[in-house]
Amino acid sequence: MSVPRTGSAPTGGDFEAVIGLEVHAQLLTASKIFCGCSTAFGATPNANTCPVCLGMPGVLPVLNRQVVTFAIRLALATHCTIASRSRWARKNYFYPDLPKGYQISMYELPIATAGYVDTVVDGTPKRVHLTRIHMEEDAGKSIHDAHGDASLVDLNRTGVPLLEIVTEPDIRSTAEAGAYLRTLRAIVQYLGVCDGNMEEGSFRCDANVSLRRRGVETLGVKVEIKNLNSFRAVERALAHEIERQTDILEDGGSIIQETRLWNADREVTRSMRTKEFAHDYRYFPDPDLLPLTVDQAWIDEVRSTLPELPADRRARFAAQYELPAMDAEVLTARKDLADYFEAALESHQSPKAISNWVMGELLRVVRERHLDDDARITDWPVSPRHLGELVRLIDDAVISGTIAKTVWQEMLDSGKPPEAIVNERGLVQVSDRAAIESIVNDILAANTDKVAEYRGGKDKLFGFFVGQVMKATKGTANPGLVNDLLKEKL
Ligand SMILES: [Zn+2]
C-alpha cells in the first residue's frame, strides 16, 4: 500500500466506498410465521418443530397475522410506502437446514418500499434510504464438529419470522454504517418487534461493499460480507474489506463479485463462494399462499398504537428532565438505556446527576464488559433502583462524591444496595464539626514543622493537611468542613 491517502477522507485516497446493508431482524412473535410452533430461543434442538416447519409433503402454511402487523409497524416508523397488495415467493436453494428446499420470502412485490432512516454521524445528520422491507422465514441451524465428524441440524429456528431491511447504497464509511445500524436497532427495540440481540443472532447484518473512483457515478463490483454478529464486527469487517479492495484496485487488479465471510478472531474476510445472482434462486410466486392484502384500516390501526420512537423520546427527555441535548441523545440511543434511566429516576428524582452516572460510570462498565451488543438490561451490573439510591446518598450529603466511587465499585462487585455498603463499611460522611475539629487539631499537633513552613509562606502544603485529615477519617470527612477548619486554624 504505497499510494498516499488523503487527509481526513473516510476511505482510501482516490477511492470512495459505497456500502449497502441488509439487516435480518427476528420478530418477537410467540409463534412462527406459518405454523403454531414456539419461537423461543435456546430450546432442546428440534423440540419446536411440526410437519409444517419440517416441510413434510402435503402440509400448508398459514400466515401469522402478528408478523404482518410488525412489518407494518416498522414500515411506518421508517417512512416506507406500504403495498396494498404484496406477494409471497419461493426462493429455491438446497441446504440441510432448509427442509423444504426453498425459503418462503417476498421478491417482486415486498410489503414496504422507499423509506428512510435518519441518523447522526459524528454530530452530522445522515439519511439512509431504504429500498425495501419484506417478510420471510428463517432457516434452521447446522452444527458442525459437535459429534466427531458428523454435522447436526437443529430446525427450531426454521420458520421463525424475519424482516429483511435493505438499504440503498447510501453509506460511505464504516462510521455511517455503525450509526445507521445502531439507529435501526433502537427503532426495532422501541417498536417491540425485535430484541436486537446480535449475539443470539436476532439482529443480523450482511454488507455489500464496492469501491469507485471519487467523482465517478457508476458503481464498482460489489462484494457481500456475511457473518457480522456485533457492531464491532461490522465496523472492523468493512474497514478491512475497503482496505483489501483499495489494495487490489491500486495495483491495477479487478474485484471479483463474491460472498466473503468475516472471521472475527483473525480479523480477515475469506471467500465463501462466488456471488450467486437472483436468477440462480428461481424465484416464483408461492402457490400455497394468497397474495397479501393490507387495507388502510389495518395501517391506521397499527399507526394509532405506535409507541414512542427514539427521536420523540429524545425530545421529551430534553424537555421534561431539562437535560442537555448530548445527554438526551446518548440516553435514548438504546431503549433499554432510556428505560434504565427512567427507572432510576423512580427511586430518586435528580435527572442530571443520574444522567451523569449513567453516561459516565455505567456506560464505561458496559463498554469494558462488552455488554454493548447485548440488549438485555438484566445482565447489567447495577440495578436502576440502586443507582438512584446511590445518587440520593450523595445529594443528601450522606456520602461524598469520592466515597460514592468506592461504593459504586463494590456495588459492581457484590450487587449489594449502596446503603448497606455504606453502613457495613462505615462510609457515612462525617459532618460533625467537633469530631473533625479534634482530628484537625491532632494532625496539626503532629506536624508542627509543616505548620511552621506553611505559615512561612509554603501555601501548597495546604493540600498535605487536607490529605492527612481525609486519610485519618478514611475519606469520610465532609471536604467543605475540612477546608474551613484548616483555614481557620492555620
Ligand atoms: Zn412448526
Side-chain angles (χ1 to χ4, degrees), residues 186 189-192 308 313 316-317 321 330-346 354 358 362 375 377 380 383-385:
Q189 288 176 338
Y190 272 75
L191 291 171
E308 187 180 40
R313 201 166 190 185
R316 179 168 69 78
F317 271 28
Y321 303 127
V330 172
L331 293 174
T332 57
R334 294 175 55 151
K335 180 175 185 294
D336 53 359
L337 191 64
D339 290 344
Y340 185 101
F341 170 75
E342 293 207 285
L345 281 183
E346 280 176 21
I354 289 180
V358 170
L362 184 73
I377 201 158
W380 288 20
S383 75
R385 192 163 58 85

PDB file of all heavy atoms in Angstrom, residues 186 189-192 308 313 316-317 321 330-346 354 358 362 375 377 380 383-385:
ATOM      1  N   ALA A 186     -32.221   0.554  17.511  1.00  0.00           N
ATOM      2  CA  ALA A 186     -33.021   1.286  18.504  1.00  0.00           C
ATOM      3  C   ALA A 186     -34.483   1.321  18.061  1.00  0.00           C
ATOM      4  O   ALA A 186     -35.393   1.111  18.863  1.00  0.00           O
ATOM      5  CB  ALA A 186     -32.476   2.702  18.682  1.00  0.00           C
ATOM      6  N   GLN A 189     -36.217  -2.008  18.562  1.00  0.00           N
ATOM      7  CA  GLN A 189     -36.399  -2.250  20.005  1.00  0.00           C
ATOM      8  C   GLN A 189     -37.523  -1.373  20.560  1.00  0.00           C
ATOM      9  O   GLN A 189     -38.356  -1.840  21.322  1.00  0.00           O
ATOM     10  CB  GLN A 189     -35.106  -1.964  20.758  1.00  0.00           C
ATOM     11  CG  GLN A 189     -34.034  -3.021  20.520  1.00  0.00           C
ATOM     12  CD  GLN A 189     -32.711  -2.684  21.188  1.00  0.00           C
ATOM     13  OE1 GLN A 189     -32.438  -1.521  21.476  1.00  0.00           O
ATOM     14  NE2 GLN A 189     -31.893  -3.688  21.434  1.00  0.00           N
ATOM     15  N   TYR A 190     -37.537  -0.116  20.189  1.00  0.00           N
ATOM     16  CA  TYR A 190     -38.598   0.780  20.653  1.00  0.00           C
ATOM     17  C   TYR A 190     -39.961   0.267  20.193  1.00  0.00           C
ATOM     18  O   TYR A 190     -40.943   0.353  20.918  1.00  0.00           O
ATOM     19  CB  TYR A 190     -38.378   2.207  20.121  1.00  0.00           C
ATOM     20  CG  TYR A 190     -37.503   3.065  21.001  1.00  0.00           C
ATOM     21  CD1 TYR A 190     -36.120   2.890  21.036  1.00  0.00           C
ATOM     22  CD2 TYR A 190     -38.043   4.057  21.806  1.00  0.00           C
ATOM     23  CE1 TYR A 190     -35.316   3.670  21.834  1.00  0.00           C
ATOM     24  CE2 TYR A 190     -37.247   4.850  22.607  1.00  0.00           C
ATOM     25  CZ  TYR A 190     -35.868   4.649  22.623  1.00  0.00           C
ATOM     26  OH  TYR A 190     -35.086   5.434  23.418  1.00  0.00           O
ATOM     27  N   LEU A 191     -40.001  -0.254  18.952  1.00  0.00           N
ATOM     28  CA  LEU A 191     -41.270  -0.743  18.405  1.00  0.00           C
ATOM     29  C   LEU A 191     -41.698  -2.052  19.057  1.00  0.00           C
ATOM     30  O   LEU A 191     -42.835  -2.474  18.909  1.00  0.00           O
ATOM     31  CB  LEU A 191     -41.147  -0.963  16.891  1.00  0.00           C
ATOM     32  CG  LEU A 191     -40.993   0.286  16.025  1.00  0.00           C
ATOM     33  CD1 LEU A 191     -40.664  -0.113  14.598  1.00  0.00           C
ATOM     34  CD2 LEU A 191     -42.268   1.130  16.060  1.00  0.00           C
ATOM     35  N   GLY A 192     -40.747  -2.720  19.725  1.00  0.00           N
ATOM     36  CA  GLY A 192     -41.063  -4.008  20.347  1.00  0.00           C
ATOM     37  C   GLY A 192     -41.225  -5.126  19.339  1.00  0.00           C
ATOM     38  O   GLY A 192     -41.839  -6.150  19.632  1.00  0.00           O
ATOM     39  N   GLU A 308     -43.704   5.370  21.485  1.00  0.00           N
ATOM     40  CA  GLU A 308     -42.778   6.498  21.370  1.00  0.00           C
ATOM     41  C   GLU A 308     -41.482   6.009  20.703  1.00  0.00           C
ATOM     42  O   GLU A 308     -40.901   5.015  21.107  1.00  0.00           O
ATOM     43  CB  GLU A 308     -42.464   7.002  22.779  1.00  0.00           C
ATOM     44  CG  GLU A 308     -41.668   8.264  22.839  1.00  0.00           C
ATOM     45  CD  GLU A 308     -41.397   8.689  24.285  1.00  0.00           C
ATOM     46  OE1 GLU A 308     -41.121   7.809  25.128  1.00  0.00           O
ATOM     47  OE2 GLU A 308     -41.463   9.886  24.562  1.00  0.00           O
ATOM     48  N   ARG A 313     -38.587  10.383  22.046  1.00  0.00           N
ATOM     49  CA  ARG A 313     -38.150  10.233  23.427  1.00  0.00           C
ATOM     50  C   ARG A 313     -37.000  11.192  23.736  1.00  0.00           C
ATOM     51  O   ARG A 313     -36.916  11.748  24.820  1.00  0.00           O
ATOM     52  CB  ARG A 313     -37.718   8.786  23.691  1.00  0.00           C
ATOM     53  CG  ARG A 313     -37.741   8.440  25.170  1.00  0.00           C
ATOM     54  CD  ARG A 313     -37.643   6.956  25.390  1.00  0.00           C
ATOM     55  NE  ARG A 313     -37.909   6.604  26.777  1.00  0.00           N
ATOM     56  CZ  ARG A 313     -37.797   5.366  27.255  1.00  0.00           C
ATOM     57  NH1 ARG A 313     -37.462   4.399  26.445  1.00  0.00           N
ATOM     58  NH2 ARG A 313     -38.035   5.110  28.513  1.00  0.00           N
ATOM     59  N   ARG A 316     -38.478  14.486  24.358  1.00  0.00           N
ATOM     60  CA  ARG A 316     -39.153  14.510  25.656  1.00  0.00           C
ATOM     61  C   ARG A 316     -38.145  14.574  26.807  1.00  0.00           C
ATOM     62  O   ARG A 316     -38.336  15.322  27.771  1.00  0.00           O
ATOM     63  CB  ARG A 316     -40.029  13.258  25.808  1.00  0.00           C
ATOM     64  CG  ARG A 316     -40.760  13.199  27.154  1.00  0.00           C
ATOM     65  CD  ARG A 316     -41.834  12.135  27.173  1.00  0.00           C
ATOM     66  NE  ARG A 316     -41.327  10.772  27.136  1.00  0.00           N
ATOM     67  CZ  ARG A 316     -40.802  10.112  28.180  1.00  0.00           C
ATOM     68  NH1 ARG A 316     -40.725  10.709  29.353  1.00  0.00           N
ATOM     69  NH2 ARG A 316     -40.369   8.870  28.051  1.00  0.00           N
ATOM     70  N   PHE A 317     -37.057  13.816  26.710  1.00  0.00           N
ATOM     71  CA  PHE A 317     -36.041  13.823  27.769  1.00  0.00           C
ATOM     72  C   PHE A 317     -35.470  15.241  27.940  1.00  0.00           C
ATOM     73  O   PHE A 317     -35.271  15.709  29.057  1.00  0.00           O
ATOM     74  CB  PHE A 317     -34.901  12.843  27.445  1.00  0.00           C
ATOM     75  CG  PHE A 317     -35.149  11.443  27.946  1.00  0.00           C
ATOM     76  CD1 PHE A 317     -36.440  10.972  28.095  1.00  0.00           C
ATOM     77  CD2 PHE A 317     -34.093  10.594  28.267  1.00  0.00           C
ATOM     78  CE1 PHE A 317     -36.686   9.677  28.556  1.00  0.00           C
ATOM     79  CE2 PHE A 317     -34.319   9.310  28.737  1.00  0.00           C
ATOM     80  CZ  PHE A 317     -35.611   8.852  28.875  1.00  0.00           C
ATOM     81  N   TYR A 321     -36.985  16.530  31.492  1.00  0.00           N
ATOM     82  CA  TYR A 321     -35.946  16.409  32.535  1.00  0.00           C
ATOM     83  C   TYR A 321     -34.912  17.527  32.447  1.00  0.00           C
ATOM     84  O   TYR A 321     -33.916  17.505  33.174  1.00  0.00           O
ATOM     85  CB  TYR A 321     -35.265  15.044  32.441  1.00  0.00           C
ATOM     86  CG  TYR A 321     -36.224  13.886  32.549  1.00  0.00           C
ATOM     87  CD1 TYR A 321     -36.251  12.893  31.584  1.00  0.00           C
ATOM     88  CD2 TYR A 321     -37.118  13.800  33.619  1.00  0.00           C
ATOM     89  CE1 TYR A 321     -37.142  11.830  31.685  1.00  0.00           C
ATOM     90  CE2 TYR A 321     -38.006  12.745  33.716  1.00  0.00           C
ATOM     91  CZ  TYR A 321     -38.012  11.759  32.738  1.00  0.00           C
ATOM     92  OH  TYR A 321     -38.892  10.710  32.837  1.00  0.00           O
ATOM     93  N   VAL A 330     -27.590  10.493  24.037  1.00  0.00           N
ATOM     94  CA  VAL A 330     -26.934   9.262  24.498  1.00  0.00           C
ATOM     95  C   VAL A 330     -27.935   8.347  25.221  1.00  0.00           C
ATOM     96  O   VAL A 330     -27.982   7.147  24.982  1.00  0.00           O
ATOM     97  CB  VAL A 330     -25.739   9.590  25.428  1.00  0.00           C
ATOM     98  CG1 VAL A 330     -25.187   8.320  26.070  1.00  0.00           C
ATOM     99  CG2 VAL A 330     -24.646  10.311  24.657  1.00  0.00           C
ATOM    100  N   LEU A 331     -28.747   8.932  26.085  1.00  0.00           N
ATOM    101  CA  LEU A 331     -29.659   8.122  26.903  1.00  0.00           C
ATOM    102  C   LEU A 331     -30.729   7.428  26.078  1.00  0.00           C
ATOM    103  O   LEU A 331     -31.190   6.349  26.434  1.00  0.00           O
ATOM    104  CB  LEU A 331     -30.326   8.991  27.976  1.00  0.00           C
ATOM    105  CG  LEU A 331     -29.408   9.548  29.070  1.00  0.00           C
ATOM    106  CD1 LEU A 331     -30.181  10.499  29.975  1.00  0.00           C
ATOM    107  CD2 LEU A 331     -28.799   8.420  29.902  1.00  0.00           C
ATOM    108  N   THR A 332     -31.150   8.048  24.978  1.00  0.00           N
ATOM    109  CA  THR A 332     -32.250   7.457  24.201  1.00  0.00           C
ATOM    110  C   THR A 332     -31.756   6.627  23.023  1.00  0.00           C
ATOM    111  O   THR A 332     -32.555   6.070  22.292  1.00  0.00           O
ATOM    112  CB  THR A 332     -33.208   8.541  23.672  1.00  0.00           C
ATOM    113  OG1 THR A 332     -32.451   9.476  22.896  1.00  0.00           O
ATOM    114  CG2 THR A 332     -33.906   9.260  24.812  1.00  0.00           C
ATOM    115  N   ALA A 333     -30.438   6.551  22.837  1.00  0.00           N
ATOM    116  CA  ALA A 333     -29.906   5.801  21.691  1.00  0.00           C
ATOM    117  C   ALA A 333     -30.245   4.321  21.799  1.00  0.00           C
ATOM    118  O   ALA A 333     -30.311   3.608  20.812  1.00  0.00           O
ATOM    119  CB  ALA A 333     -28.401   5.994  21.585  1.00  0.00           C
ATOM    120  N   ARG A 334     -30.450   3.851  23.015  1.00  0.00           N
ATOM    121  CA  ARG A 334     -30.896   2.472  23.240  1.00  0.00           C
ATOM    122  C   ARG A 334     -32.148   2.537  24.080  1.00  0.00           C
ATOM    123  O   ARG A 334     -32.191   3.258  25.073  1.00  0.00           O
ATOM    124  CB  ARG A 334     -29.845   1.690  24.027  1.00  0.00           C
ATOM    125  CG  ARG A 334     -28.551   1.467  23.317  1.00  0.00           C
ATOM    126  CD  ARG A 334     -27.575   0.795  24.238  1.00  0.00           C
ATOM    127  NE  ARG A 334     -28.107  -0.445  24.796  1.00  0.00           N
ATOM    128  CZ  ARG A 334     -27.348  -1.469  25.159  1.00  0.00           C
ATOM    129  NH1 ARG A 334     -26.052  -1.404  25.027  1.00  0.00           N
ATOM    130  NH2 ARG A 334     -27.884  -2.548  25.661  1.00  0.00           N
ATOM    131  N   LYS A 335     -33.120   1.743  23.747  1.00  0.00           N
ATOM    132  CA  LYS A 335     -34.361   1.763  24.517  1.00  0.00           C
ATOM    133  C   LYS A 335     -34.107   1.298  25.946  1.00  0.00           C
ATOM    134  O   LYS A 335     -34.619   1.888  26.905  1.00  0.00           O
ATOM    135  CB  LYS A 335     -35.413   0.862  23.874  1.00  0.00           C
ATOM    136  CG  LYS A 335     -36.716   0.868  24.660  1.00  0.00           C
ATOM    137  CD  LYS A 335     -37.791   0.071  23.962  1.00  0.00           C
ATOM    138  CE  LYS A 335     -39.113   0.190  24.696  1.00  0.00           C
ATOM    139  NZ  LYS A 335     -39.099  -0.425  26.026  1.00  0.00           N
ATOM    140  N   ASP A 336     -33.283   0.246  26.108  1.00  0.00           N
ATOM    141  CA  ASP A 336     -33.087  -0.271  27.467  1.00  0.00           C
ATOM    142  C   ASP A 336     -32.324   0.729  28.335  1.00  0.00           C
ATOM    143  O   ASP A 336     -32.547   0.816  29.537  1.00  0.00           O
ATOM    144  CB  ASP A 336     -32.399  -1.644  27.449  1.00  0.00           C
ATOM    145  CG  ASP A 336     -31.122  -1.669  26.647  1.00  0.00           C
ATOM    146  OD1 ASP A 336     -30.740  -0.642  26.079  1.00  0.00           O
ATOM    147  OD2 ASP A 336     -30.489  -2.735  26.586  1.00  0.00           O
ATOM    148  N   LEU A 337     -31.447   1.526  27.711  1.00  0.00           N
ATOM    149  CA  LEU A 337     -30.725   2.545  28.476  1.00  0.00           C
ATOM    150  C   LEU A 337     -31.701   3.648  28.923  1.00  0.00           C
ATOM    151  O   LEU A 337     -31.660   4.095  30.074  1.00  0.00           O
ATOM    152  CB  LEU A 337     -29.605   3.146  27.619  1.00  0.00           C
ATOM    153  CG  LEU A 337     -28.604   4.023  28.347  1.00  0.00           C
ATOM    154  CD1 LEU A 337     -27.817   3.227  29.363  1.00  0.00           C
ATOM    155  CD2 LEU A 337     -27.658   4.690  27.356  1.00  0.00           C
ATOM    156  N   ALA A 338     -32.569   4.055  28.001  1.00  0.00           N
ATOM    157  CA  ALA A 338     -33.567   5.078  28.335  1.00  0.00           C
ATOM    158  C   ALA A 338     -34.512   4.559  29.428  1.00  0.00           C
ATOM    159  O   ALA A 338     -34.855   5.283  30.363  1.00  0.00           O
ATOM    160  CB  ALA A 338     -34.357   5.469  27.085  1.00  0.00           C
ATOM    161  N   ASP A 339     -34.907   3.295  29.318  1.00  0.00           N
ATOM    162  CA  ASP A 339     -35.761   2.687  30.352  1.00  0.00           C
ATOM    163  C   ASP A 339     -35.026   2.656  31.691  1.00  0.00           C
ATOM    164  O   ASP A 339     -35.610   2.918  32.741  1.00  0.00           O
ATOM    165  CB  ASP A 339     -36.142   1.251  29.965  1.00  0.00           C
ATOM    166  CG  ASP A 339     -37.104   1.205  28.786  1.00  0.00           C
ATOM    167  OD1 ASP A 339     -37.706   2.258  28.472  1.00  0.00           O
ATOM    168  OD2 ASP A 339     -37.253   0.128  28.178  1.00  0.00           O
ATOM    169  N   TYR A 340     -33.753   2.311  31.636  1.00  0.00           N
ATOM    170  CA  TYR A 340     -32.926   2.239  32.850  1.00  0.00           C
ATOM    171  C   TYR A 340     -32.894   3.600  33.537  1.00  0.00           C
ATOM    172  O   TYR A 340     -33.115   3.711  34.747  1.00  0.00           O
ATOM    173  CB  TYR A 340     -31.506   1.817  32.454  1.00  0.00           C
ATOM    174  CG  TYR A 340     -30.563   1.582  33.621  1.00  0.00           C
ATOM    175  CD1 TYR A 340     -30.290   0.293  34.057  1.00  0.00           C
ATOM    176  CD2 TYR A 340     -29.947   2.646  34.268  1.00  0.00           C
ATOM    177  CE1 TYR A 340     -29.428   0.070  35.114  1.00  0.00           C
ATOM    178  CE2 TYR A 340     -29.088   2.434  35.329  1.00  0.00           C
ATOM    179  CZ  TYR A 340     -28.828   1.143  35.751  1.00  0.00           C
ATOM    180  OH  TYR A 340     -27.980   0.936  36.794  1.00  0.00           O
ATOM    181  N   PHE A 341     -32.648   4.633  32.735  1.00  0.00           N
ATOM    182  CA  PHE A 341     -32.571   5.996  33.276  1.00  0.00           C
ATOM    183  C   PHE A 341     -33.889   6.369  33.968  1.00  0.00           C
ATOM    184  O   PHE A 341     -33.905   6.856  35.098  1.00  0.00           O
ATOM    185  CB  PHE A 341     -32.251   6.966  32.130  1.00  0.00           C
ATOM    186  CG  PHE A 341     -32.374   8.414  32.512  1.00  0.00           C
ATOM    187  CD1 PHE A 341     -31.409   9.019  33.303  1.00  0.00           C
ATOM    188  CD2 PHE A 341     -33.458   9.177  32.089  1.00  0.00           C
ATOM    189  CE1 PHE A 341     -31.515  10.361  33.669  1.00  0.00           C
ATOM    190  CE2 PHE A 341     -33.581  10.508  32.447  1.00  0.00           C
ATOM    191  CZ  PHE A 341     -32.607  11.100  33.239  1.00  0.00           C
ATOM    192  N   GLU A 342     -35.007   6.100  33.287  1.00  0.00           N
ATOM    193  CA  GLU A 342     -36.298   6.485  33.866  1.00  0.00           C
ATOM    194  C   GLU A 342     -36.627   5.637  35.101  1.00  0.00           C
ATOM    195  O   GLU A 342     -37.251   6.114  36.039  1.00  0.00           O
ATOM    196  CB  GLU A 342     -37.409   6.389  32.806  1.00  0.00           C
ATOM    197  CG  GLU A 342     -37.213   7.432  31.716  1.00  0.00           C
ATOM    198  CD  GLU A 342     -38.495   7.856  31.018  1.00  0.00           C
ATOM    199  OE1 GLU A 342     -38.989   7.065  30.203  1.00  0.00           O
ATOM    200  OE2 GLU A 342     -38.993   8.974  31.300  1.00  0.00           O
ATOM    201  N   ALA A 343     -36.170   4.386  35.117  1.00  0.00           N
ATOM    202  CA  ALA A 343     -36.401   3.539  36.292  1.00  0.00           C
ATOM    203  C   ALA A 343     -35.578   4.058  37.480  1.00  0.00           C
ATOM    204  O   ALA A 343     -36.045   4.062  38.621  1.00  0.00           O
ATOM    205  CB  ALA A 343     -36.019   2.092  35.980  1.00  0.00           C
ATOM    206  N   ALA A 344     -34.354   4.526  37.209  1.00  0.00           N
ATOM    207  CA  ALA A 344     -33.520   5.083  38.284  1.00  0.00           C
ATOM    208  C   ALA A 344     -34.171   6.329  38.870  1.00  0.00           C
ATOM    209  O   ALA A 344     -34.132   6.562  40.083  1.00  0.00           O
ATOM    210  CB  ALA A 344     -32.123   5.404  37.747  1.00  0.00           C
ATOM    211  N   LEU A 345     -34.807   7.117  37.992  1.00  0.00           N
ATOM    212  CA  LEU A 345     -35.479   8.347  38.460  1.00  0.00           C
ATOM    213  C   LEU A 345     -36.617   8.039  39.426  1.00  0.00           C
ATOM    214  O   LEU A 345     -36.983   8.874  40.250  1.00  0.00           O
ATOM    215  CB  LEU A 345     -36.055   9.116  37.266  1.00  0.00           C
ATOM    216  CG  LEU A 345     -35.084   9.957  36.446  1.00  0.00           C
ATOM    217  CD1 LEU A 345     -35.842  10.697  35.367  1.00  0.00           C
ATOM    218  CD2 LEU A 345     -34.344  10.943  37.328  1.00  0.00           C
ATOM    219  N   GLU A 346     -37.185   6.835  39.306  1.00  0.00           N
ATOM    220  CA  GLU A 346     -38.298   6.488  40.202  1.00  0.00           C
ATOM    221  C   GLU A 346     -37.836   6.389  41.649  1.00  0.00           C
ATOM    222  O   GLU A 346     -38.613   6.627  42.568  1.00  0.00           O
ATOM    223  CB  GLU A 346     -38.937   5.163  39.768  1.00  0.00           C
ATOM    224  CG  GLU A 346     -39.882   5.345  38.596  1.00  0.00           C
ATOM    225  CD  GLU A 346     -40.449   4.032  38.102  1.00  0.00           C
ATOM    226  OE1 GLU A 346     -40.450   3.045  38.886  1.00  0.00           O
ATOM    227  OE2 GLU A 346     -40.879   3.986  36.942  1.00  0.00           O
ATOM    228  N   ILE A 354     -28.243  11.721  37.821  1.00  0.00           N
ATOM    229  CA  ILE A 354     -28.363  10.321  37.402  1.00  0.00           C
ATOM    230  C   ILE A 354     -27.859  10.144  35.981  1.00  0.00           C
ATOM    231  O   ILE A 354     -27.155   9.186  35.666  1.00  0.00           O
ATOM    232  CB  ILE A 354     -29.824   9.826  37.573  1.00  0.00           C
ATOM    233  CG1 ILE A 354     -30.117   9.700  39.071  1.00  0.00           C
ATOM    234  CG2 ILE A 354     -30.048   8.513  36.845  1.00  0.00           C
ATOM    235  CD1 ILE A 354     -31.489   9.220  39.414  1.00  0.00           C
ATOM    236  N   VAL A 358     -25.071   7.500  34.626  1.00  0.00           N
ATOM    237  CA  VAL A 358     -25.372   6.537  33.558  1.00  0.00           C
ATOM    238  C   VAL A 358     -24.383   6.713  32.410  1.00  0.00           C
ATOM    239  O   VAL A 358     -23.777   5.757  31.919  1.00  0.00           O
ATOM    240  CB  VAL A 358     -26.822   6.710  33.051  1.00  0.00           C
ATOM    241  CG1 VAL A 358     -27.053   5.879  31.788  1.00  0.00           C
ATOM    242  CG2 VAL A 358     -27.818   6.298  34.131  1.00  0.00           C
ATOM    243  N   LEU A 362     -21.667   4.025  34.353  1.00  0.00           N
ATOM    244  CA  LEU A 362     -22.380   2.840  33.875  1.00  0.00           C
ATOM    245  C   LEU A 362     -21.953   2.455  32.455  1.00  0.00           C
ATOM    246  O   LEU A 362     -21.619   1.300  32.188  1.00  0.00           O
ATOM    247  CB  LEU A 362     -23.899   3.061  33.934  1.00  0.00           C
ATOM    248  CG  LEU A 362     -24.684   1.813  33.531  1.00  0.00           C
ATOM    249  CD1 LEU A 362     -24.612   0.752  34.617  1.00  0.00           C
ATOM    250  CD2 LEU A 362     -26.133   2.131  33.233  1.00  0.00           C
ATOM    251  N   ALA A 375     -28.674  -6.811  24.248  1.00  0.00           N
ATOM    252  CA  ALA A 375     -29.780  -5.913  24.548  1.00  0.00           C
ATOM    253  C   ALA A 375     -30.395  -6.120  25.925  1.00  0.00           C
ATOM    254  O   ALA A 375     -31.254  -5.372  26.326  1.00  0.00           O
ATOM    255  CB  ALA A 375     -30.859  -6.088  23.491  1.00  0.00           C
ATOM    256  N   ILE A 377     -30.931  -5.736  29.551  1.00  0.00           N
ATOM    257  CA  ILE A 377     -30.507  -4.879  30.645  1.00  0.00           C
ATOM    258  C   ILE A 377     -30.411  -5.661  31.951  1.00  0.00           C
ATOM    259  O   ILE A 377     -29.728  -5.252  32.884  1.00  0.00           O
ATOM    260  CB  ILE A 377     -31.482  -3.696  30.774  1.00  0.00           C
ATOM    261  CG1 ILE A 377     -30.809  -2.545  31.520  1.00  0.00           C
ATOM    262  CG2 ILE A 377     -32.772  -4.095  31.442  1.00  0.00           C
ATOM    263  CD1 ILE A 377     -31.442  -1.245  31.257  1.00  0.00           C
ATOM    264  N   TRP A 380     -27.034  -6.214  33.238  1.00  0.00           N
ATOM    265  CA  TRP A 380     -26.208  -5.086  33.621  1.00  0.00           C
ATOM    266  C   TRP A 380     -25.882  -5.170  35.095  1.00  0.00           C
ATOM    267  O   TRP A 380     -26.655  -5.660  35.903  1.00  0.00           O
ATOM    268  CB  TRP A 380     -26.916  -3.784  33.267  1.00  0.00           C
ATOM    269  CG  TRP A 380     -26.933  -3.547  31.795  1.00  0.00           C
ATOM    270  CD1 TRP A 380     -26.758  -4.492  30.820  1.00  0.00           C
ATOM    271  CD2 TRP A 380     -27.124  -2.318  31.121  1.00  0.00           C
ATOM    272  NE1 TRP A 380     -26.832  -3.909  29.594  1.00  0.00           N
ATOM    273  CE2 TRP A 380     -27.063  -2.579  29.738  1.00  0.00           C
ATOM    274  CE3 TRP A 380     -27.342  -1.007  31.538  1.00  0.00           C
ATOM    275  CZ2 TRP A 380     -27.201  -1.585  28.788  1.00  0.00           C
ATOM    276  CZ3 TRP A 380     -27.490  -0.021  30.589  1.00  0.00           C
ATOM    277  CH2 TRP A 380     -27.416  -0.306  29.225  1.00  0.00           C
ATOM    278  N   SER A 383     -28.490  -2.369  39.362  1.00  0.00           N
ATOM    279  CA  SER A 383     -29.896  -2.131  39.013  1.00  0.00           C
ATOM    280  C   SER A 383     -30.188  -0.636  39.041  1.00  0.00           C
ATOM    281  O   SER A 383     -29.533   0.120  39.741  1.00  0.00           O
ATOM    282  CB  SER A 383     -30.807  -2.849  40.005  1.00  0.00           C
ATOM    283  OG  SER A 383     -30.824  -2.143  41.232  1.00  0.00           O
ATOM    284  N   PRO A 384     -31.191  -0.197  38.256  1.00  0.00           N
ATOM    285  CA  PRO A 384     -31.505   1.236  38.229  1.00  0.00           C
ATOM    286  C   PRO A 384     -31.898   1.766  39.612  1.00  0.00           C
ATOM    287  O   PRO A 384     -31.553   2.885  39.970  1.00  0.00           O
ATOM    288  CB  PRO A 384     -32.668   1.344  37.244  1.00  0.00           C
ATOM    289  CG  PRO A 384     -33.076  -0.035  36.895  1.00  0.00           C
ATOM    290  CD  PRO A 384     -31.978  -0.956  37.282  1.00  0.00           C
ATOM    291  N   ARG A 385     -32.599   0.941  40.393  1.00  0.00           N
ATOM    292  CA  ARG A 385     -33.013   1.388  41.714  1.00  0.00           C
ATOM    293  C   ARG A 385     -31.786   1.687  42.585  1.00  0.00           C
ATOM    294  O   ARG A 385     -31.714   2.704  43.266  1.00  0.00           O
ATOM    295  CB  ARG A 385     -33.883   0.319  42.389  1.00  0.00           C
ATOM    296  CG  ARG A 385     -34.599   0.788  43.634  1.00  0.00           C
ATOM    297  CD  ARG A 385     -35.728  -0.157  43.997  1.00  0.00           C
ATOM    298  NE  ARG A 385     -35.259  -1.528  44.198  1.00  0.00           N
ATOM    299  CZ  ARG A 385     -34.771  -1.987  45.355  1.00  0.00           C
ATOM    300  NH1 ARG A 385     -34.713  -1.202  46.404  1.00  0.00           N
ATOM    301  NH2 ARG A 385     -34.367  -3.234  45.476  1.00  0.00           N
TER     302      ARG A 385
END
